[in-house]
Amino acid sequence: EKHDILKEEKIAFVQVGTFSDGKGTLNTIEMLHRLKQSGINNWNMEFVGSGTKEYVQMMQKLIFEYHMESQIVIGKFCLNIKDNLYQKDILIMNSRAEGFGRVTVEGMLAGCLVMGRNLGGTSEIIIDQVNGIAFNTEEEFLDAMHQVITEKEKYRKIAENGQKYAMEKFDCVNAAKNFMGVVEECLK
């Protein structure tokens, strides 16, 4: 239902998935550090997922080096992410090689504004400035965040578009019909 994003003073970010370089985890910390350096400090971030002990330690070290301990939380893996997403404004999908993009769709379904790296399956789901924000570089991410801060109403609407898009395109009935269509074509 209606997820009122970007209404609070602080923006609530989330990134969901495996903690790894392939998923862009450390890069997200770097981007948030640059966001903070650019003067945007009114945010919190939660990483939800799991990773090796060594990788989590690298994350913690980088967060500590950038003095962002009060802003970034490393959460635990959870099976039902829906409740967590309802508490967030923006889902960051920073993966370097994403297959289908299930987390991207989950973020859209929850009503979050999805900001995704314009690669792989993410690039097939996000229509930039229509149902989410696609970025190619860290600079594009920063520029987009400055736009989000100054044009919140526009980005609330884009998040709503994303939710409608995901509900229509990835509805389980439609997905099953599309899958069966592919299977029937293969059998011919």
Side-chain angles (χ1 to χ4, degrees), residues 110-135:
C112 293
L113 176 62
V114 177
M115 298 181 75
R117 190 166 288 277
N118 196 21
L119 292 170
T122 304
S123 66
E124 296 174 12
I125 298 169
I126 295 177
I127 304 165
D128 189 39
Q129 301 296 319
V130 175
N131 66 0
I133 298 171
F135 63 91

Side-chain angles (χ1 to χ4, degrees), residues 136-167:
N136 294 295
T137 66
E138 289 72 18
E139 286 302 320
E140 287 181 11
F141 172 83
L142 294 173
D143 290 344
M145 275 310 304
H146 284 275
Q147 289 177 8
V148 169
I149 297 294
T150 58
E151 301 176 66
K152 287 183 178 181
E153 196 55 47
K154 172 185 174 181
Y155 288 96
R156 284 187 196 104
K157 183 67 178 153
I158 289 173
E160 287 176 23
N161 292 343
Q163 188 176 45
K164 288 176 191 169
Y165 176 83
M167 287 169 54

Side-chain angles (χ1 to χ4, degrees), residues 31-185:
M31 290 189 321
L32 293 172
H33 173 65
R34 291 185 61 194
L35 186 65
K36 188 174 180 178
Q37 286 181 316
S38 76
I40 298 177
N41 297 311
N42 59 335
W43 54 265
N44 289 315
M45 169 66 171
E46 182 177 8
F47 288 95
V48 178
S50 62
T52 65
K53 181 179 177 183
E54 294 79 17
Y55 201 88
V56 172
Q57 288 173 342
M58 288 191 302
M59 292 170 66
Q60 291 168 331
K61 181 181 178 201
L62 196 57
I63 292 165
F64 182 76
E65 283 177 19
Y66 290 148
H67 308 286
M68 297 191 303
E69 308 91 330
S70 65
Q71 290 177 283
I72 299 178
V73 172
I74 301 173
K76 299 203 182 312
F77 173 82
C78 69
L79 288 174
N80 185 0
I81 194 67
K82 185 169 70 171
D83 292 338
N84 188 297
L85 291 175
Y86 286 140
Q87 299 169 17
K88 305 298 190 253
D89 299 304
I90 298 174
L91 178 128
I92 298 174
M93 176 48 68
N94 197 11
S95 184
R96 303 293 185 194
E98 192 65 25
F100 167 64
R102 182 178 52 85
V103 172
T104 303
V105 172
E106 288 174 343
M108 288 177 163
L109 286 171
C112 293
L113 176 62
V114 177
M115 298 181 75
R117 190 166 288 277
N118 196 21
L119 292 170
T122 304
S123 66
E124 296 174 12
I125 298 169
I126 295 177
I127 304 165
D128 189 39
Q129 301 296 319
V130 175
N131 66 0
I133 298 171
F135 63 91
N136 294 295
T137 66
E138 289 72 18
E139 286 302 320
E140 287 181 11
F141 172 83
L142 294 173
D143 290 344
M145 275 310 304
H146 284 275
Q147 289 177 8
V148 169
I149 297 294
T150 58
E151 301 176 66
K152 287 183 178 181
E153 196 55 47
K154 172 185 174 181
Y155 288 96
R156 284 187 196 104
K157 183 67 178 153
I158 289 173
E160 287 176 23
N161 292 343
Q163 188 176 45
K164 288 176 191 169
Y165 176 83
M167 287 169 54
E168 292 168 8
K169 182 143 175 105
F170 301 106
D171 169 77
C172 61
V173 174
N174 290 337
K177 285 179 186 176
N178 290 337
F179 176 77
M180 289 308 298
V182 170
V183 169
E184 289 171 0
E185 282 298 311

